[in-house]
């Protein structure tokens, strides 16, 4: 559930457009090299709506060190279910029944850890 304090009416500065990291999974010793997360940012155009995206760090990528892909928007104050699964060379990310696939170019080692919220 995203609390009502997660949404505000207008951007306060350029950083307000940055992705806030919600939760995820890091692999190996450095989550900036190999991880997958859910992220959020307020939808400044619609009162009480939060945009949820998938976010990966992948040191094997030749185009970008990180990738962001929009999944869905959620209303503040409501409970939603989300999952992140590794499926071979892709991550399957789902939020309240809306699913996306994101590339996983870096083989995931057995060492993994949960990533907690970071704003």
């Amino acid at each position: 559930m995203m609390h009502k304090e997660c949404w505000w009416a207008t951007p306060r500065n350029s950083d307000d457009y940055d992705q806030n990291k919600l939760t995820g999974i890091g692999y190996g010793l450095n989550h900036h090299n190999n991880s997958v997360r859910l992220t959020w940012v307020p939808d400044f155009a619609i009162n009480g709506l939060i945009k949820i995206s998938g976010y990966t760090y992948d040191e094997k990528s030749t185009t970008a060190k990180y990738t962001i892909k929009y999944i869905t928007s959620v209303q503040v104050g409501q409970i939603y279910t989300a999952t992140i699964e590794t499926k071979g060379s892709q991550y399957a990310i789902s939020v309240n029944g809306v699913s996306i696939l994101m590339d996983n170019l870096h083989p995931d080692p057995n060492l993994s850890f949960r990533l907690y919220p970071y704003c």
Side-chain angles (χ1 to χ4, degrees), residues 25-31 33-36 84-86 91 104 106-113:
I25 305 166
Y27 297 96
L29 299 175
N30 184 345
H31 66 274
N33 290 342
N34 189 13
S35 65
V36 57
I84 299 173
E85 297 178 73
T86 301
Y91 295 112
N104 177 18
H106 194 292
D108 297 326
N110 290 332
L111 176 62
S112 65
F113 51 95

Side-chain angles (χ1 to χ4, degrees), residues 38-91:
L38 287 174
T39 62
W40 65 274
V41 66
D43 184 334
F44 298 112
I46 303 174
N47 188 357
L49 216 57
I50 305 289
K51 295 179 182 179
I52 305 292
S53 297
Y55 185 102
T56 62
Y57 276 112
D58 194 338
E59 71 177 4
K60 298 293 185 189
S61 174
T62 58
T63 57
K65 184 172 177 164
Y66 65 90
T67 305
I68 301 168
K69 189 172 183 181
Y70 173 78
I71 302 170
T72 191
S73 293
V74 299
Q75 188 69 41
V76 297
Q78 295 184 18
I79 296 175
Y80 296 92
T81 301
T83 61
I84 299 173
E85 297 178 73
T86 301
K87 295 193 175 206
S89 63
Q90 294 188 307
Y91 295 112

